[in-house]
Amino acid sequence: MSCRDLNTIYLVVRPLNGQNPNERVKEMFTSPFFDRMKMENPTYRSQVVVVKGDCFQPNIGLDEADLSRIESKINAVIHLAAATTSDNHPYCMLHMAICTNVRATRDLIILTKRFKNLKAFVYLSSVFTNPSVLDVYEQFYNSPIAASTIIQMVETLPDYILNRVTSGLVSEWPDVITFTKALSEQIIQSAGPELPACIIRSGFVLGTANEPIAGWTNDLNNLTGCALGSGLGLVRVFHGSSSVNAEIVPVDMLVNLLVVGCWELIGNRTEFVNEEVPKDTVNTLIYNYASSNYKPCSWNQLGEKFFKNEKNVSSSNFLWMPFYYVTDSIFIYWIMTFYLHTVPAKVVDLFIWFMGKESRLNEFYKRVHTAAKNLSSYQQIHVRYHNHNVKNLMNKLSPRDKILFDFDMSTLSWDDYFDKYLKGLRVYLMGNPLHMPETNNNTLNRLITIHYNFIISICVVIVLYTIYFYW
């Protein structure tokens, strides 16, 4: 517990799935992720206050009574809340993302004017907010459309029109979410020097590298879904460019950078010169946090590391022998997915339908291929990220703080990281023991036998067909 002297942490939480905010936070603290904290700081719960809110709503859904109660007590705001491409919502994706990511940032900045003791505003953005810029420096970039215009648009136009214009609006970005992150940066820039702000631009966030548990994750995103699907023997093909870095970031190192960035704003900021950016853009410190500056890992290498350790996520739930094929050719990828995903799914679903049960495999592969399509947009981004501010911030830490708040990704071994990460998926997401029971090994051996007999049978059928029709 490096920050146990904090007086109070106010968590803004929305109701979800029939649970109120307090119930959600109570359930969150039951995770083994917090076991170490509970041992080192048994009174932790008295330092956490839950405030009901919802970033989709105006003024982030905060009640006036709650605001009046806490406004004089806020010293720092760390804004992490955001819609993602995997969120389910009754509104269209653009409507939901603009309200949750852009309007909420604007409204929160307006609310900070009531926080008389505010010393830091930390915003989590994305390194992919400027995909058309070949050299991304730690500075603001112009957006082709004003954030206020987009907010007004989603508040007035019906969803069917928003759906039609979405592709044109976000054509320069990989997806809607990175588009909204760029607009949120624009809002922070317009707030001017009166707002003591910094922006952390992060890559893809995956599980923990070291603390408090190595390999912990609870986020089923596109990349995690590919790894889990491989362990179940369902995802057999991965498209990964060998010339583009994946820009993955361990979540614990990112959190350390967020904390140190906040510390820098509150009272330790010194005037250091970043000669890479114009002098009139240094009011808000921006930190580009991308793994390519430390330990590059291409998309092709990422696929190899995911799949070569797929037995670490194998479980009693696996449906086929895990095997994989990684290619940097998008054409070969779609050919292989047709034969290794789509065709088997159709056959299995047909068999299940004849048995009178609900078929789901085809729908599963549709989601897998949608995720792959989303990821392929990021694999087209050939960008160099400059991180002068990140290096300066790291150099300001004492030797002890560099250990406590480690965000130096150069110390990572990706092989070791993914070994722990995939084991973490098995334990924390799938809820399976780390060591596979003997019955699971027997099941896996049977699936291996079925797999190779199936391949041999297909080869025999092809040979016989060729002999019969062409000889």
Side-chain angles (χ1 to χ4, degrees):
M1 289 292 295
S2 305
C3 303
R4 68 173 65 193
D5 293 332
L6 285 174
N7 184 19
T8 306
I9 298 175
Y10 296 97
L11 293 180
V12 179
V13 184
R14 61 173 172 155
L16 186 66
N17 297 330
Q19 288 184 308
N20 65 44
N22 280 294
E23 290 170 339
R24 292 186 64 197
V25 171
K26 182 179 179 180
E27 181 181 356
M28 177 186 73
F29 281 128
T30 63
S31 167
F33 183 79
F34 296 99
D35 288 349
R36 176 182 163 190
M37 179 193 69
K38 292 174 183 177
M39 288 188 295
E40 296 183 8
N41 184 21
T43 63
Y44 74 95
R45 194 62 183 87
S46 64
Q47 295 174 273
V48 179
V49 175
V50 180
V51 179
K52 182 181 177 181
D54 186 347
C55 285
F56 182 73
Q57 303 299 328
N59 296 320
I60 65 171
L62 291 180
D63 183 74
E64 179 60 34
D66 288 331
L67 271 173
S68 299
R69 177 169 54 90
I70 67 175
E71 61 183 11
S72 64
K73 303 174 183 178
I74 303 298
N75 302 119
V77 173
I78 300 180
H79 184 25
L80 308 178
T84 67
T85 53
S86 60
D87 285 346
N88 293 318
H89 207 279
Y91 295 95
C92 83
M93 188 64 202
L94 183 65
H95 186 169
M96 182 266 294
I98 293 296
C99 290
T100 305
N101 296 0
V102 184
R103 187 179 67 184
T105 301
R106 181 203 66 184
D107 292 352
L108 183 56
I109 290 175
I110 293 172
L111 290 174
T112 60
K113 296 178 181 179
R114 297 176 56 172
F115 304 158
K116 303 303 181 183
N117 297 310
L118 183 71
K119 297 180 179 179
F121 183 98
V122 182
Y123 177 71
L124 180 61
S125 186
S126 168
V127 294
F128 306 109
T129 52
N130 304 285
S132 60
V133 181
L134 296 180
D135 281 277
V136 176
Y137 291 91
E138 294 166 309
Q139 67 179 62
F140 290 110
Y141 289 89
N142 294 328
S143 178
I145 188 168
S148 58
T149 302
I150 292 292
I151 293 172
Q152 185 179 16
M153 180 185 299
V154 301
E155 289 179 334
T156 55
L157 294 179
D159 282 352
Y160 75 91
I161 294 181
L162 294 177
N163 281 325
R164 292 178 182 177
V165 302
T166 296
S167 59
L169 284 173
V170 306
S171 59
E172 294 183 21
W173 287 268
D175 53 33
V176 172
I177 303 304
T178 49
F179 170 65
T180 60
K181 290 289 186 180
L183 293 176
S184 292
E185 287 194 13
Q186 179 191 127
I187 289 175
I188 295 172
Q189 181 184 17
S190 65
E194 292 78 18
L195 181 70
C198 76
I199 295 172
I200 312 291
R201 291 179 181 153
S202 169
F204 286 104
V205 183
L206 295 182
T208 57
N210 300 303
E211 58 177 358
I213 306 172
W216 180 87
T217 184
N218 69 343
D219 183 22
L220 189 58
N221 56 35
N222 290 337
L223 287 173
T224 304
C226 288
L228 281 177
S230 170
L232 295 173
L234 294 176
V235 176
R236 307 174 184 115
V237 191
F238 184 82
H239 174 243
S241 172
S242 58
S243 61
V244 180
N245 287 307
E247 307 301 359
I248 48 181
V249 173
V251 63
D252 53 333
M253 290 188 162
L254 173 60
V255 169
N256 286 337
L257 177 58
L258 287 164
V259 172
V260 175
C262 186
W263 164 81
E264 166 75 2
L265 283 172
I266 285 177
N268 301 279
R269 180 170 180 175
T270 56
E271 294 300 326
F272 59 80
V273 178
N274 185 348
E275 296 178 350
E276 295 179 331
V277 303
K279 291 183 179 180
D280 59 349
T281 64
V282 297
N283 289 323
T284 300
L285 281 173
I286 298 175
Y287 301 97
N288 288 338
Y289 194 51
S291 57
S292 57
N293 291 317
Y294 303 89
K295 283 288 182 72
C297 179
S298 71
W299 283 98
N300 191 274
Q301 290 172 321
L302 176 64
E304 292 284 350
K305 293 180 189 300
F306 263 158
F307 290 116
K308 80 174 183 180
N309 292 314
E310 76 269 342
K311 289 186 179 180
N312 287 336
V313 292
S314 297
S315 72
S316 57
N317 302 318
F318 49 59
L319 303 174
W320 198 261
M321 186 201 93
F323 71 102
Y324 70 94
Y325 180 77
V326 179
T327 176
D328 60 1
S329 168
I330 191 65
F331 176 76
I332 294 177
Y333 169 79
W334 288 115
I335 293 294
M336 295 292 287
T337 55
F338 177 76
Y339 286 104
L340 295 177
H341 289 173
T342 306
V343 172
K346 296 287 186 183
V347 173
V348 171
D349 276 357
L350 182 62
F351 178 74
I352 293 175
W353 182 76
F354 278 128
M355 294 177 63
K357 298 182 179 179
E358 184 180 0
S359 56
R360 298 180 178 178
L361 199 55
N362 197 50
E363 283 300 316
F364 168 80
Y365 280 121
K366 284 182 180 179
R367 292 195 297 270
V368 168
H369 297 158
T370 299
K373 186 177 180 180
N374 291 338
L375 290 175
S376 69
S377 301
Y378 290 91
Q379 297 183 29
Q380 315 304 317
I381 302 176
H382 294 260
V383 174
R384 179 189 174 194
Y385 300 101
H386 296 260
N387 65 335
H388 185 90
N389 289 341
V390 176
K391 292 177 181 177
N392 274 337
L393 189 61
M394 190 179 300
N395 290 334
K396 293 181 66 175
L397 296 178
S398 67
R400 179 176 179 272
D401 284 343
K402 285 181 179 179
I403 296 173
L404 288 176
F405 303 98
D406 178 24
F407 55 90
D408 183 4
M409 283 190 282
S410 65
T411 62
L412 287 175
S413 162
W414 287 127
D415 287 332
D416 180 64
Y417 172 79
F418 280 108
D419 178 66
K420 294 175 181 176
Y421 175 64
L422 293 172
K423 289 176 180 176
L425 294 184
R426 176 191 179 119
V427 175
Y428 304 117
L429 266 185
M430 302 178 73
N432 292 316
L434 188 58
H435 300 288
M436 197 179 340
E438 186 63 32
T439 54
N440 284 8
N441 286 325
N442 293 336
T443 302
L444 180 59
N445 290 333
R446 285 196 296 270
L447 289 175
I448 291 174
T449 302
I450 294 172
H451 169 75
Y452 286 110
N453 284 335
F454 181 72
I455 291 177
I456 292 171
S457 300
I458 290 177
C459 291
V460 169
V461 169
I462 292 174
V463 170
L464 292 177
Y465 179 88
T466 304
I467 292 175
Y468 183 81
F469 286 99
Y470 295 99
W471 282 19

